[in-house]
Amino acid sequence: MKTHYLNYVAGLSLIFLMASCGNQGSETSQVLGGSAAEQAYVAPGEYDEFYAFMSGGYSGQITAYGLPSGRLLKEIPVFSKYPENGYGYSEETKAMFNTSYGEVPWDDSHHIELSQKDGEFDGRWLFVNGNNTPRIARVDLKTFETVEILEIPDVAGLHCAPFITENSEYLVSGTRFSVPIPQKDVPIDTYKKNFKGLINYVSVDPEHGHMELAFQIEMPGFNYDLARNGKGKSHGWSFLTTYNSEQEHSLLEVNASQKDKDLMAVINWKKAEQYMKEGKFTERQTSYFHNLMNEETSIVESEEKTLTKILDPKNCPDMVYFIPVPKSPHGCDVDPTGEYIVGNGKLSADMSVYSFDKIMKAIEEKNFDGNFDGIPIINYEAALDGIVKKPGLGPLHTEFDGRGNAYTTFFISSEVVKWDVESKEILDRQPTFYSPGHLVIPGGETKKPDGKYLVAMNKITKDRYLPTGPELAHSAQLFDISGDKMKLILDFPTKGEPHYAQAISADKIQPNSVKFYDIEQNKHPHATLGESKTRVERDGDEVHVYMTAIRSHLAPDNIEGFKVGDKVYFHLTNLEQDWDVPHGFAIQGATNAELLVMPGQTRTLLWEPKKPGVFAFYCTDFCSALHQEMSGYARVSPKGSDVPIKWGLNEKLRENEQAAHDFYEKAKQNANIGK
Amino acid sequence: MSLKQKSRLPQLLMLLGILSLGAVFLFPLWQITLDAAQFPGGLKMHIWVNKISGSEKNIIQNINILNHYIGMQYIEPDSIPELKYFPIVAYSMMALGLISLVLNKAWAYLSWFIIIAILGALGIYDFYLWLYDYGHNLDPKAPIKVEGMTYMPPLLGEKDLLNFYVTSYPHLGSGFLGLSSILALAAFWVKRKSK
């Protein structure tokens, strides 16, 4: 069945490509004859103009690229453990993966949202959803570190997330799959009766960025796919596309593609806020986790929450509406003025553009075509501003350049089409290689786009790069959109599937970038603030090593008295106060990861020695000309042996031996007293 | 210019000289810059009349870390006695300046000029001795040894020291110090002429 479907799609593309082959020719000659390389070239030592943050799809991470060079700057671990720096393995960061299902060290990250103020990016935080185990993460753009993850309860496939409002009031996050609420053991064919979809409003603290699940709206059991929030005049409203208004539960590719129109949800969240204040919600017991990095200690604190507040549209009139939208919609995008909302039916040949003013008028005049579960359905014609006729096949996502133009990706016909938002006239089209998903213009979802570049992210890429076995590199394609016609100026490979990206002017992030952590502000309970304070302490079969790192030695560098079966915690503090001098820590036989400790920071690795011997540890991050010498030994004795704890570094060895002896004697005395 | 105003000019000049001397507490006397490819903008160390600082926090620690490869002693401002008594000298000179201003005699201005000039020269010589000590008195166990190499930064000028290009020049504080001596000399000159 699937093959048949693909053939159908391929057939359609062929017809389409034949019709538009003239345009393709001109595009190729543009690339060959123009100064594409020059436009994407950023000379050594010079900076890119924009940061582009791309979600890693099934890698669960985010990658930061420079635009227009396409240079990969950093991979930011978010939902997946990352042995490169110990994220998720160090004792401080393990709790970031706590969920109501236990530790989930992986996810599928989809939509990047940068924080906004007055409808423009402010460069403070980055939010991204975990699709598989529904979660939203926050990355602090001062440090490019994941500092918070909030689980969303009772949803499945948190795809329609985390779309931000124009002052970062909320991250609107709808469930992709509807499920029984609360979860229960029911036959799947009772979908229509038992399955519901929740749309979640997560509030963002304006000062610290901390997230909180403010409320959930219980909606009919559809699939909620994508969303955008209003801006300017439409601020206070959310628009979410849905599919499967058929409410089917099997063979969706056929059964959920029967109706010519699905429904777009239109939510007045200011009204919802008001209903919350009036107490029109119901509370339900559930379980979800909130994991937050403490800024002072740099340790993740995890809290289980057990209560959610739910609004039911039936009890909350004028809060939720539907509008018919062409077949199986995907993208749902609001233009910079806040007036136009583009609803793309991915299985439709046309695109519907709605007018916010007309939607408001229709609501006022109660121009409804019935209702679904009590939710009024606004008359399609009344809300419609116009239709973009036959722009291509499989319209997915639309972004805007701030000059009245919209750019839409077409998955099936593999192209980006530029059209005029007011006149709905098609202005330009450029092929992509091969099927694009999302596209991004820096600031393209805000009130003030930087309409200079456009990146189309490919979902299926073939033959753009040297082959790498059965799995090929995914591709991003950079277009210059400053002129009348789009111009392809660069291809660059990406990590995972680059699902969505947002790009922001570098000057909103670069000046605030933290160079190192101020060691005087390090409030980690196991920090060692100075080499003279390094020590080893035994507490039963737990051993705590308070270690420091500075170019080019670890202190202490020789430790004896470990025993098989001990739980050894290496608390490593990096004493450096200089930019880009992290130190690493690795020890043979560690079954988790290494550590990468930033200057001024403390990180802890748990090591459980399994056999007697002398094991080397060393710094993994090349830190100086004497980096190779930055190492030491840990002596492990058999379980039950009485080798005393002993540690040292050079001349201080003798002194420390005495201290160790005293400590050991004292510990023995204490033990005797205990007996 | 009236006669009365003219008679006040040496005192005014001396007052400016005293204020100018006070500016050594507001600006560094000397700047040593270490330039290397891996430190964009260079590491800038500032020597003041009463402290040693960097253009950014922690630069002294970072310079010490680099210096330890060649066995140079750590720069520890707390262990440099000059930084404690130079401010006293500066305050004393400001007080002496006030006395000369009250006396308003040519010999008083000249004496003050001579003392500050001698002190300035001694200060530079003392600075040279410190640089010599840091550059020559190296730890014999240092990890990096280059045969015959000393690591003394230039007192005034520029020099290659391993991977660093070191520049050493007076900074604003020295400018004000120089200005203060010129103003005292001018006070002396005008006072003598007005006789």
Side-chain angles (χ1 to χ4, degrees):
Chain A
M1 195 62 207
K2 192 161 186 188
T3 313
H4 173 77
Y5 178 70
L6 284 175
N7 283 341
Y8 163 76
V9 168
L12 280 178
S13 347
L14 188 64
I15 294 163
F16 188 84
L17 287 174
M18 281 165 73
S20 64
C21 64
N23 283 318
Q24 278 195 20
S26 69
E27 188 272 340
T28 307
S29 64
Q30 254 183 12
V31 172
L32 296 176
S35 52
E38 234 168 71
Q39 282 176 272
Y41 184 70
V42 177
E46 285 179 15
Y47 298 120
D48 278 290
E49 201 180 338
F50 297 97
Y51 282 98
F53 296 99
M54 297 197 170
S55 64
Y58 38 71
S59 84
Q61 317 293 50
I62 292 173
T63 41
Y65 290 84
L67 292 184
S69 73
R71 297 186 288 208
L72 172 63
L73 306 176
K74 189 181 172 75
E75 180 165 7
I76 308 167
V78 182
F79 294 114
S80 298
K81 286 189 171 187
Y82 200 57
E84 183 175 311
N85 64 5
Y87 173 77
Y89 295 100
S90 67
E91 294 304 301
E92 290 81 5
T93 56
K94 273 179 178 172
M96 201 56 107
F97 296 87
N98 286 347
T99 75
S100 59
Y101 304 90
E103 182 191 65
V104 181
W106 166 86
D107 220 309
D108 180 17
S109 62
H110 273 207
H111 303 115
I112 302 277
E113 289 283 291
L114 286 159
S115 55
Q116 292 187 21
K117 180 87 186 119
D118 300 326
E120 288 182 59
F121 292 151
D122 61 12
R124 299 175 76 190
W125 307 299
L126 187 67
F127 300 93
V128 66
N129 60 324
N131 198 29
N132 180 58
T133 305
R135 286 177 279 184
I136 298 170
R138 179 169 62 95
V139 171
D140 189 334
L141 290 175
K142 288 200 300 290
T143 57
F144 282 49
E145 277 191 19
T146 303
V147 292
E148 186 175 7
I149 292 183
L150 175 72
E151 190 183 356
I152 308 294
D154 303 314
V155 299
L158 191 71
H159 185 270
C160 181
F163 297 96
I164 203 159
T165 55
E166 73 171 35
N167 294 303
S168 307
E169 292 98 338
Y170 292 107
L171 300 164
V172 177
S173 303
T175 188
R176 175 173 165 201
F177 306 114
S178 286
V179 286
I181 296 176
Q183 270 293 3
K184 59 189 166 202
D185 171 16
V186 294
I188 295 167
D189 65 10
T190 61
Y191 185 103
K192 283 188 176 121
K193 182 174 156 231
N194 283 322
F195 288 41
K196 293 279 179 197
L198 288 175
I199 295 170
N200 311 277
Y201 280 76
V202 171
S203 61
V204 177
D205 176 85
E207 198 184 335
H208 299 103
H210 297 176
M211 298 184 286
E212 194 184 345
L213 180 57
F215 57 90
Q216 301 182 296
I217 299 178
E218 191 171 292
M219 297 285 287
F222 300 161
N223 291 39
Y224 296 82
D225 197 32
L226 279 169
R228 283 291 187 209
N229 290 289
K231 46 178 91 85
K233 63 161 98 165
S234 52
H235 178 56
W237 292 77
S238 307
F239 307 93
L240 300 88
T241 47
T242 75
Y243 61 95
N244 194 18
S245 52
E246 296 86 350
Q247 298 194 300
E248 290 293 341
H249 57 274
S250 182
L251 195 63
L252 296 191
E253 68 177 81
V254 172
N255 294 331
S257 306
Q258 294 303 306
K259 286 191 190 165
D260 182 50
K261 297 253 182 335
D262 279 290
L263 296 168
M264 177 162 83
V266 178
I267 296 175
N268 183 343
W269 60 256
K270 290 226 161 137
K271 198 110 200 172
E273 265 184 345
Q274 190 191 317
Y275 285 131
M276 284 301 293
K277 273 193 203 131
E278 289 168 10
K280 294 234 168 137
F281 56 85
T282 51
E283 288 185 337
R284 201 186 58 249
Q285 290 291 318
T286 183
S287 167
Y288 63 104
F289 277 72
H290 184 213
N291 312 320
L292 180 65
M293 185 176 285
N294 180 314
E295 273 182 38
E296 288 194 325
T297 61
S298 151
I299 295 174
V300 178
E301 290 158 9
S302 189
E303 187 192 349
E304 186 188 7
K305 304 211 163 181
T306 53
L307 205 65
T308 74
K309 293 171 180 172
I310 298 168
L311 290 173
D312 184 342
K314 287 191 199 73
N315 309 328
C316 302
D318 308 328
M319 182 176 73
V320 184
Y321 302 91
F322 283 128
I323 302 180
V325 66
K327 196 164 187 169
S328 196
H330 197 55
C332 168
D333 297 288
V334 182
D335 89 313
T337 67
E339 164 65 5
Y340 299 106
I341 301 116
V342 183
N344 292 348
K346 65 179 184 281
L347 302 182
S348 159
D350 297 334
M351 296 199 300
S352 298
V353 181
Y354 302 89
S355 149
F356 180 71
D357 288 341
K358 287 185 176 178
I359 293 173
M360 289 302 107
K361 190 159 170 270
I363 289 173
E364 206 176 303
E365 292 171 355
K366 298 201 183 305
N367 193 348
F368 301 138
D369 282 345
N371 69 76
F372 197 107
D373 261 4
I375 298 170
I377 300 174
I378 298 168
N379 177 280
Y380 174 68
E381 306 290 339
L384 195 68
D385 182 69
I387 289 175
V388 186
K389 290 245 163 63
K390 306 217 181 314
L393 287 175
L396 293 189
H397 305 285
T398 303
E399 295 243 335
F400 306 88
D401 65 5
R403 298 186 294 268
N405 302 310
Y407 302 74
T408 304
T409 47
F410 289 83
F411 182 82
I412 300 173
S413 53
S414 288
E415 60 186 333
V416 178
V417 173
K418 176 181 177 181
W419 51 279
D420 185 292
V421 178
E422 294 266 351
S423 71
K424 321 287 181 284
E425 183 193 345
I426 289 164
L427 304 172
D428 188 23
R429 58 177 74 243
Q430 292 295 334
T432 56
F433 307 93
Y434 281 70
S435 298
H438 275 275
L439 77 170
V440 63
I441 290 170
E445 73 135 312
T446 69
K447 280 178 173 173
K448 288 205 180 133
D450 274 305
K452 196 168 174 184
Y453 300 110
L454 180 155
V455 181
M457 283 152 277
N458 283 190
K459 290 198 168 302
I460 302 172
T461 307
K462 294 191 177 73
D463 77 12
R464 293 308 280 177
Y465 310 106
L466 284 174
T468 51
E471 192 200 6
L472 290 171
H474 278 270
S475 185
Q477 299 190 301
L478 179 70
F479 293 86
D480 175 359
I481 55 164
S482 56
D484 286 343
K485 298 288 174 189
M486 294 177 273
K487 187 174 164 192
L488 177 67
I489 56 173
L490 183 72
D491 276 354
F492 59 96
T494 61
K495 296 202 76 166
E497 180 217 333
H499 192 89
Y500 179 47
Q502 285 202 334
I504 177 173
S505 178
D507 59 25
K508 285 192 174 167
I509 292 180
Q510 193 180 2
N512 306 324
S513 197
V514 167
K515 293 185 167 141
F516 52 83
Y517 295 97
D518 185 348
I519 198 153
E520 285 159 25
Q521 304 297 320
N522 182 334
K523 301 282 191 305
H524 191 294
H526 297 292
T528 311
L529 305 180
E531 218 163 79
S532 61
K533 299 188 176 82
T534 56
R535 65 201 185 276
V536 182
E537 288 173 2
R538 177 178 283 286
D539 175 15
D541 54 9
E542 264 186 25
V543 184
H544 293 266
V545 179
Y546 294 86
M547 185 179 268
T548 59
I550 198 159
R551 279 162 289 174
S552 309
H553 60 266
L554 295 158
D557 63 358
N558 284 323
I559 309 168
E560 303 192 356
F562 297 128
K563 288 178 226 168
V564 171
D566 280 348
K567 284 166 101 76
V568 180
Y569 293 90
F570 286 100
H571 307 287
L572 182 66
T573 301
N574 181 346
L575 298 177
E576 304 278 355
Q577 293 286 275
D578 195 1
W579 199 7
D580 202 27
V581 193
H583 288 294
F585 179 83
I587 183 161
Q588 190 177 345
T591 53
N592 36 22
E594 65 167 333
L595 292 178
L596 204 57
V597 190
M598 295 304 122
Q601 206 181 30
T602 303
R603 283 280 172 265
T604 304
L605 188 77
L606 171 61
W607 178 59
E608 296 175 84
K610 299 281 190 304
K611 45 191 169 188
V614 178
F615 302 93
F617 54 80
Y618 64 97
C619 171
T620 47
D621 188 302
F622 207 104
C623 55
S624 80
L626 295 163
H627 160 77
Q628 293 296 80
E629 286 73 13
M630 192 165 175
S631 63
Y633 290 106
R635 176 182 165 195
V636 179
S637 305
K639 206 178 178 83
S641 61
D642 60 355
V643 176
I645 290 278
K646 198 162 99 172
W647 69 92
L649 178 76
N650 212 11
E651 304 90 50
K652 289 174 199 148
L653 186 63
R654 199 166 301 277
E655 205 179 301
N656 286 343
E657 267 178 45
Q658 189 57 46
H661 176 78
D662 295 347
F663 179 84
Y664 187 68
E665 286 304 311
K666 206 174 150 199
K668 272 206 294 198
Q669 275 174 17
N670 289 343
N672 287 337
I673 292 163
K675 278 172 195 169
Chain B
M1 206 178 266
S2 75
L3 201 65
K4 197 175 178 192
Q5 276 174 321
K6 202 172 178 186
S7 70
R8 283 263 167 109
L9 187 58
Q11 282 175 305
L12 183 67
L13 288 167
M14 192 60 215
L15 182 67
L16 287 174
I18 295 165
L19 291 174
S20 183
L21 177 59
V24 299
F25 292 98
L26 303 177
F27 304 101
L29 293 167
W30 223 266
Q31 175 172 294
I32 298 179
T33 306
L34 300 148
D35 274 309
Q38 67 269 44
F39 294 97
L43 298 168
K44 291 189 179 70
M45 184 164 86
H46 290 144
I47 294 129
W48 299 62
V49 73
N50 57 350
K51 64 180 177 185
I52 296 177
S53 70
S55 52
E56 284 171 42
K57 203 181 164 191
N58 310 309
I59 277 189
I60 302 305
Q61 177 184 336
N62 293 328
I63 290 174
N64 280 337
I65 289 173
L66 297 169
N67 285 349
H68 107 275
Y69 295 121
I70 52 169
M72 198 186 270
Q73 308 154 70
Y74 276 21
I75 301 165
E76 284 174 45
D78 287 348
S79 67
I80 299 174
E82 280 88 334
L83 298 177
K84 294 197 178 64
Y85 66 74
F86 275 6
I88 300 169
V89 171
Y91 286 127
S92 308
M93 281 311 291
M94 287 169 82
L96 275 182
L98 278 174
I99 293 168
S100 74
L101 186 149
V102 172
L103 291 173
N104 195 21
K105 300 279 190 226
W107 65 264
Y109 294 135
L110 184 63
S111 311
W112 195 88
F113 166 76
I114 292 168
I115 299 169
I116 197 90
I118 291 171
L119 284 174
L122 281 175
I124 290 172
Y125 181 63
D126 182 67
F127 180 46
Y128 171 82
L129 291 180
W130 274 103
L131 290 177
Y132 187 91
D133 184 51
Y134 275 113
H136 291 77
N137 185 11
L138 303 171
D139 184 347
K141 289 178 77 182
I144 297 175
K145 288 194 198 85
V146 181
E147 198 62 44
M149 179 107 186
T150 63
Y151 301 100
M152 183 178 157
L155 177 68
L156 188 77
E158 315 191 351
K159 189 178 175 186
D160 274 313
L161 284 177
L162 296 180
N163 59 323
F164 285 97
Y165 187 69
V166 182
T167 52
S168 172
Y169 288 110
H171 211 264
L172 276 175
S174 289
F176 279 105
L177 184 63
L179 181 65
S180 107
S181 68
I182 289 165
L183 285 166
L185 193 60
F188 158 69
W189 197 262
V190 174
K191 186 71 196 172
R192 209 181 61 156
K193 285 274 161 183
S194 70
K195 267 184 183 170

